[in-house]
C-alpha cells in the first residue's frame, strides 16, 4: 500500500513539474524585448526607437520620405514621397531580419485625403500579393511631409513563407 502511495505521489510530482517547465518555455525572457536605435546620425538622439523587437515581431516607428543620403524630402509630390517612405521602411526591416512580404499591419498618415488614390497606386507596387492590414487617415505632419507610415512585421526567419489565402 505504501509503495502504491509513493508511486502515485512520485507520478503526481513528475506531472506537475512537466506543466511548470512548459510554462517556463512560453514565458518571454527579458532578452525578447529589444529597442533598436536608428543607424541614421540625424535620428540618434530621437526620443523614440527606430524599431522595437518583441520576440519575432518588429514594431517600426513612423517613417517619412526623407532621403537618408540627402536628408531632404524628394521632389515629385505624394508619389515620390510614398516611394521613398516605403524604401526607408524596407531598409529598416531588412536591417532587423524582415522584409515587406512579412509586414502584417500598416498605419498610413496622409497630409491630405486628396492624395489617397495616388498613394494607393504606389502601395500596390510594394505589396503586390501580401496585403497587410492597414489604417489610413489624414493629419498634419512634421517636416512638411505628405506621408508617414509605420508598420508591424514579423521576422522573416520565423516563417517559411508568407502566403495569401
Amino acid at each position: 500500500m505504501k509503495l502504491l502511495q509513493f508511486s502515485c505521489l512520485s507520478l503526481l510530482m513528475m506531472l506537475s513539474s512537466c506543466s511548470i517547465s512548459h510554462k517556463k518555455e512560453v514565458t518571454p525572457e527579458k532578452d525578447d524585448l529589444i529597442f533598436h536605435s536608428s543607424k541614421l546620425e540625424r535620428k540618434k538622439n530621437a526620443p523614440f526607437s527606430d524599431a522595437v523587437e518583441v520576440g519575432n515581431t518588429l514594431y517600426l516607428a513612423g517613417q517619412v520620405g526623407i532621403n537618408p543620403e540627402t536628408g531632404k524630402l524628394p521632389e515629385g509630390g505624394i508619389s515620390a514621397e510614398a516611394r521613398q517612405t516605403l524604401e526607408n521602411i524596407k531598409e529598416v526591416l531588412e536591417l532587423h531580419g524582415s522584409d515587406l512580404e512579412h509586414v502584417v499591419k500598416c498605419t498610413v498618415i496622409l497630409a491630405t485625403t486628396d492624395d489617397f488614390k495616388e498613394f494607393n497606386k504606389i502601395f500596390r507596387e510594394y505589396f503586390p500579393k501580401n496585403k497587410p492590414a492597414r489604417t489610413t487617415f489624414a493629419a498634419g505632419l512634421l517636416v512638411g511631409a505628405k506621408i508617414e507610415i509605420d508598420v508591424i512585421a514579423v521576422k522573416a526567419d520565423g516563417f517559411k513563407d508568407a502566403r495569401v489565402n
Side-chain angles (χ1 to χ4, degrees):
M1 184 67 165
K2 287 192 182 224
L3 181 59
L4 181 62
Q5 288 176 338
F6 178 74
S7 297
C8 288
L9 184 58
S10 297
L11 181 62
L12 184 61
M13 288 174 57
M14 286 180 8
L15 289 174
S16 66
S17 68
C18 288
S19 67
I20 291 171
S21 66
H22 175 71
K23 287 180 184 175
K24 286 181 183 176
E25 289 177 24
V26 296
T27 303
E29 300 291 324
K30 286 183 181 179
D31 294 342
D32 288 343
L33 181 61
I34 304 167
F35 296 89
H36 296 285
S37 61
S38 177
K39 69 174 194 147
L40 300 174
E41 195 59 42
R42 68 179 174 79
K43 291 172 73 177
K44 291 281 186 200
N45 292 323
F48 55 87
S49 298
D50 218 24
V52 176
E53 187 173 338
V54 182
N56 201 42
T57 305
L58 294 167
Y59 299 84
L60 271 61
Q63 295 283 329
V64 295
I66 293 177
N67 183 314
E69 293 174 16
T70 66
K72 296 180 180 179
L73 291 167
E75 303 267 330
I78 187 64
S79 294
E81 280 193 44
R83 284 183 202 286
Q84 185 62 59
T85 300
L86 289 163
E87 287 298 323
N88 293 348
I89 289 168
K90 187 175 165 183
E91 187 175 326
V92 174
L93 288 171
E94 288 172 358
L95 182 64
H96 300 295
S98 192
D99 53 38
L100 292 176
E101 287 191 10
H102 290 83
V103 170
V104 297
K105 174 75 168 90
C106 294
T107 302
V108 179
I109 308 163
L110 298 170
T112 175
T113 56
D114 295 342
D115 290 334
F116 185 75
K117 186 176 179 182
E118 190 63 30
F119 163 70
N120 265 341
K121 289 179 191 174
I122 306 306
F123 190 83
R124 282 188 171 109
E125 292 174 21
Y126 282 82
F127 297 98
K129 64 176 187 170
N130 298 335
K131 295 178 172 93
R134 189 178 97 187
T135 302
T136 306
F137 60 94
L141 295 171
L142 299 175
V143 302
K146 295 183 178 301
I147 187 168
E148 182 173 348
I149 303 173
D150 72 46
V151 302
I152 300 171
V154 293
K155 293 186 80 171
D157 63 359
F159 295 87
K160 292 187 181 189
D161 64 40
R163 58 193 174 274
V164 178
N165 284 335

